């Protein structure tokens, strides 16, 4: 049973009001050959993998606060709720949604996809756009370093303080990219298949620190890893805000309609409400300079 944690535990800085009402930046416009109009974005007209159904992909397992109890179909958790909200905007009832499990790396690899869209904290990057389409962004995110309170980096105040640390992150993620391109530690970072393996490595002292997105950092330190803390948030690797988007097959005819659905959820305030429900608001975490 999911236990809602107090805001101080699941805290995360929400998007500013301006960001919530703004459209996606021009360079984040999904690349799709589709020219679907709003009128064409209906259940009867969308060419999904299974007629009358919407197949949504995500990883195995998935974690809080993005999903709850590793059950995407319970509509709980921020991304679980976003997925069903997008489905609703496209005319699909909850019973029309079919979930499939796809590993993080396979979901963004070139080739035909076993899903109509995938939701799994995928940061929108130019490199990934070469292989897949992205929807409009549904969440702005920061990468964050966590550690045990006994770790040598527990009191780090800057990126320079992390240079000698043994750090780790899940394979193929922007968290790993942040280590490699921003921190550039003197020791080769560790790579893990999933965050369960990464957490165990941190708890066992195999790594000094773990890099994850901010909401995950708050949940891990508040509910999963005893005697742990958030060391601090990292600046954006490219100087631009990092954003999560839904992933679709390259050139998917659904990309335009899925983006319209996300944009509508931003405009009508649904994304804000879902963040307030699943990603509690606070002043944020320390900043690493």
């Amino acid at each position: 049973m999911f236990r809602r944690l107090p805001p101080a535990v699941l805290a995360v800085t929400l998007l500013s009001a301006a960001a919530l009402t703004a459209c996606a930046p021009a360079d984040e416009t999904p690349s799709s050959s589709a020219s679907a109009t709003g009128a064409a974005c209906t259940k009867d007209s969308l060419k999904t993998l299974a007629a009358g159904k919407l197949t949504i992909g995500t990883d195995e397992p998935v974690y809080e606060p993005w999903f709850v109890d590793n059950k995407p179909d319970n509509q709980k958790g921020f991304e679980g709720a976003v997925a069903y909200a997008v489905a609703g905007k496209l005319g699909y009832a909850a019973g029309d949604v079919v979930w499939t499990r796809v590993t993080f790396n396979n979901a963004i690899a070139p080739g035909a996809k076993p899903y109509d869209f995938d939701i799994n904290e995928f940061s929108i990057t130019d490199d990934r756009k070469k292989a897949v389409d992205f929807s409009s962004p549904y969440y702005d995110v920061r990468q964050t370093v966590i550690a045990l309170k006994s770790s040598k980096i527990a009191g780090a105040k800057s990126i320079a303080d992390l240079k000698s640390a043994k750090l780790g992150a899940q394979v193929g993620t922007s968290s790993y990219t942040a280590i490699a391109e921003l921190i550039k530690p003197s020791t080769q970072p560790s790579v893990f298949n999933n965050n369960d393996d990464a957490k165990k490595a941190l708890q066992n002292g195999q790594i000094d620190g773990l890099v994850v997105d901010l909401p995950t950092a708050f949940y891990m330190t508040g509910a999963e890893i005893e005697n742990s803390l958030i060391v601090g948030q990292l600046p954006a690797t490219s100087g631009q805000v990092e954003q999560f988007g839904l992933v679709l097959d390259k050139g998917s005819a659904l990309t335009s309609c899925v983006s319209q659905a996300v944009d509508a959820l931003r405009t009508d305030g649904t994304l804000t409400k879902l963040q307030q429900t699943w990603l509690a608001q606070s002043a944020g975490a320390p900043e690493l300079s």
Side-chain angles (χ1 to χ4, degrees), residues 61-127:
V62 285
Y63 306 93
E64 299 183 27
W66 308 107
F67 296 88
V68 175
D69 295 332
N70 193 27
K71 296 178 179 178
D73 59 354
N74 65 14
Q75 305 183 50
K76 295 180 180 180
F78 178 65
E79 289 192 324
V82 167
Y84 280 94
V86 170
K89 285 293 184 183
L90 296 174
Y92 293 88
D96 298 326
V97 174
V98 177
W99 287 91
T100 186
R101 300 297 189 129
V102 187
T103 62
F104 191 97
N105 272 357
N106 286 342
I108 53 176
K113 303 295 186 290
Y115 55 75
D116 293 312
F117 70 77
D118 195 296
I119 183 167
N120 190 25
E121 299 124 74
F122 290 109
S123 296
I124 300 169
T125 69
D126 289 336
D127 187 55

Side-chain angles (χ1 to χ4, degrees), residues 2 46 71-73 99 108 123 128 158 165 192 198 203 246 262:
F2 175 64
L46 294 177
K71 296 178 179 178
D73 59 354
W99 287 91
I108 53 176
S123 296
R128 289 174 178 172
S158 68
F192 303 96
Q203 291 169 313
L246 306 176
V262 173

Side-chain angles (χ1 to χ4, degrees), residues 147-149 151-158 161 229 231 288:
L148 298 181
K149 293 178 180 179
S151 171
K152 69 178 185 179
I153 64 169
K157 302 298 181 184
S158 68
D161 293 336
L229 52 73
V231 177
L288 294 171

